[in-house]
Amino acid sequence: MLLQIIDSINGIRQVLKTFKKSNFQIGFVPTMGALHDGHLSLIREARKENDVVAVSIFVNPLQFGENEDFHHYPRPFENDRLLLSKEKVDILFYPGKEEIYPETFSTSISIKKLENKLCGKSRPGHFSGVATIVLKLFNIVKPDVVYFGQKDFQQTVIIKKMVSDLNVDTKIKVLPIVRDKDGLALSSRNAYLNNDERKEALCLFKALTKAKIMIDSGVTISGEIVNEMKCTIKEYKLARVDYISIVDKNTLEDVEYAKSGDVIALAVKIRNTRLIDNLIIPSLLFILYTITLLLKDSI
Ligand code: PAF
């Protein structure tokens, strides 16, 4: 099927209605465009698992603060369209701002507690904006399965909570972070980095690697791990830490001792570009398995 580009809510509802009548399973990947391999990994999984794949591109003004990059956010529509065609996506929902937020729009979703932690501290209102657009998109598309990337870890926790609290009849799948060869997590905002900044951006991955090494060697005190991560980042001249936290994967509360399943999350500004990354601490079994594999290879 050729990619259909639809810009109206009625239009996409009409098209999806016929698929739903035939009991087709609908997979959905909401995005803000500027697609990279991270998005493509979600789209490919959706393609494998569903009869119909819908992707949305909408740069959501509600999730940007006043001094943030809404106006500069990359919008390479033609490139995105080609990528989606190549991945055999069926439907691209590409609405304008008026279609989504008419002048009279006045509702917002708030996920108490969770929205003010981690990134929420320096981006007030961001997660309320995310939850509001995501719920709107869920109500428009009514997907069976929706795909998100683990890079936006807090976003995935908040969306899962909203889906559970509001009984949204959709399955949420979270797929692993996709990284460049050197470890930098893919993000549409990486496009802002010049050569020097791109080199410095590696500090997030370096700090997470440092944390992993410490945990593998038996360190569990969160404060110690976070301090070492801060030291790693201090070596990078253009980097300024926003936060580094080790948190419970559901409540996002700081944990005193890091254990498997907890999440190490950080946000760092490289000059004007704010980047995030995270690591879910693997289970001991997984660590032992990796060590066994490594030993096997070295024999
Ligand atoms: O992760 C994103 O790209 C956005 O936050 C989302 C989920 C598409 C909502 O605008």
Side-chain angles (χ1 to χ4, degrees), residues 19-48:
F19 289 126
K20 281 175 186 152
K21 263 197 192 137
S22 314
N23 268 334
F24 282 174
Q25 180 167 301
I26 308 208
F28 177 47
V29 185
T31 81
M32 298 205 298
L35 303 177
H36 51 66
D37 281 351
H39 296 112
L40 298 188
S41 76
L42 307 180
I43 290 167
R44 285 175 191 147
E45 190 74 2
R47 186 67 284 171
K48 259 196 262 161

Side-chain angles (χ1 to χ4, degrees), residues 30-33 39 56 58-60 63 73 126 129-130 133-134 137 148 152 155 159:
T31 81
M32 298 205 298
H39 296 112
S56 63
F58 179 67
V59 185
N60 172 34
Q63 69 188 77
Y73 199 83
H126 169 69
V130 169
I133 186 64
V134 168
L137 291 169
F148 291 97
D152 298 300
Q155 169 170 286
I159 288 166

Side-chain angles (χ1 to χ4, degrees), residues 48-63:
K48 259 196 262 161
E49 296 181 348
N50 299 276
D51 304 306
V52 176
V53 176
V55 172
S56 63
I57 295 182
F58 179 67
V59 185
N60 172 34
L62 285 195
Q63 69 188 77

Side-chain angles (χ1 to χ4, degrees), residues 127-261:
F127 288 110
S128 172
V130 169
T132 304
I133 186 64
V134 168
L135 186 59
K136 273 180 75 82
L137 291 169
F138 285 3
N139 283 329
I140 293 166
V141 177
K142 293 198 165 57
D144 295 287
V145 193
V146 186
Y147 298 80
F148 291 97
Q150 186 203 307
K151 189 181 70 74
D152 298 300
F153 181 76
Q154 186 172 8
Q155 169 170 286
T156 66
V157 174
I158 282 175
I159 288 166
K160 281 185 194 162
K161 186 82 182 100
M162 174 184 77
V163 162
S164 147
D165 284 354
L166 299 181
N167 311 97
V168 182
D169 194 9
T170 289
K171 187 172 166 198
I172 305 292
K173 276 203 143 186
V174 178
L175 299 189
I177 297 175
V178 178
R179 298 180 181 280
D180 265 345
K181 278 204 187 84
D182 62 358
L184 178 67
L186 296 191
S187 160
S188 305
R189 290 192 168 95
N190 292 351
Y192 298 148
L193 303 169
N194 66 24
N195 284 345
D196 289 343
E197 293 163 352
R198 171 64 184 77
K199 283 181 201 148
E200 298 259 312
L202 207 56
C203 68
L204 288 90
F205 182 65
K206 283 275 156 65
L208 286 172
T209 307
K210 176 81 201 173
K212 187 162 181 304
I213 291 168
M214 289 178 81
I215 291 168
D216 287 355
S217 71
V219 182
T220 58
I221 300 171
S222 298
E224 273 182 33
I225 300 168
V226 168
N227 276 343
E228 279 301 318
M229 292 176 74
K230 283 185 180 156
C231 286
T232 303
I233 291 176
K234 260 206 183 118
E235 286 165 28
Y236 293 78
K237 285 193 303 286
L238 306 178
R240 196 162 43 76
V241 173
D242 177 356
Y243 69 82
I244 302 179
S245 299
I246 306 184
V247 297
D248 176 272
K249 66 177 190 300
N250 299 312
T251 63
L252 304 182
E253 296 282 354
D254 285 319
V255 295
E256 209 175 329
Y257 297 98
K259 58 177 186 317
S260 62

